[in-house]
Amino acid sequence: MQNAALFDIYGALLTRRQREAYVLHELEDLSLGEIAEELGVSRQGAHDLVHRAREHLLRMEEAVGAGAMERSLEEAESLMAAYAGSLPGEFVRRMDAVLERRDKWSGRDV
């Protein structure tokens, strides 16, 4: 799973400083020197914040596995599209409702 997606899912679990450093580095593409200046820390401090944030996001994904769940739902959606004509109508309607709830929860456009 991409770093940005992990951040979307677990970013709220980072400290405020980790979030700030991570956003500046991964999403806004600032260098560690620029982050250090922006946050008033040393370059090593900026590196540590970004590194700890990334490690925390990866540990959370490993523990919770929301990315694996999302991939499974995407696979289910693909299978639904491929076999919709041969599946019972009630099943298709109920699966569409499940996938729609996922889309609303994740903030996707439906």
Side-chain angles (χ1 to χ4, degrees):
M1 179 174 268
Q2 292 181 349
N3 289 338
L6 289 177
F7 182 78
D8 288 344
I9 297 169
Y10 307 113
L13 301 173
L14 299 174
T15 67
R16 179 182 57 81
R17 298 290 276 182
Q18 286 173 338
R19 264 193 318 277
E20 290 172 344
Y22 191 85
V23 165
L24 292 172
H25 190 265
E26 296 292 330
L27 306 179
E28 296 184 18
D29 203 28
L30 268 64
S31 70
L32 293 174
E34 293 168 321
I35 295 167
E37 188 175 316
E38 178 80 20
L39 299 181
V41 298
S42 67
R43 187 183 180 289
Q44 182 63 46
H47 175 271
D48 290 346
L49 285 168
V50 172
H51 179 74
R52 277 186 259 132
R54 186 179 297 120
E55 289 299 311
H56 190 69
L57 295 173
L58 292 172
R59 279 194 313 274
M60 288 305 299
E61 172 59 17
E62 187 176 299
V64 176
M69 181 177 64
E70 178 63 24
R71 286 187 299 278
S72 293
L73 286 169
E74 287 173 359
E75 184 178 357
E77 188 172 36
S78 176
L79 288 168
M80 287 290 300
Y83 294 101
S86 61
L87 295 169
E90 179 62 18
F91 177 80
V92 172
R93 282 189 293 281
R94 292 180 73 183
M95 281 300 292
D96 283 343
V98 167
L99 294 170
E100 200 172 300
R101 283 195 303 273
R102 182 256 339 236
D103 291 343
K104 286 180 184 173
W105 175 78
S106 68
R108 294 181 183 185
D109 291 331
V110 257

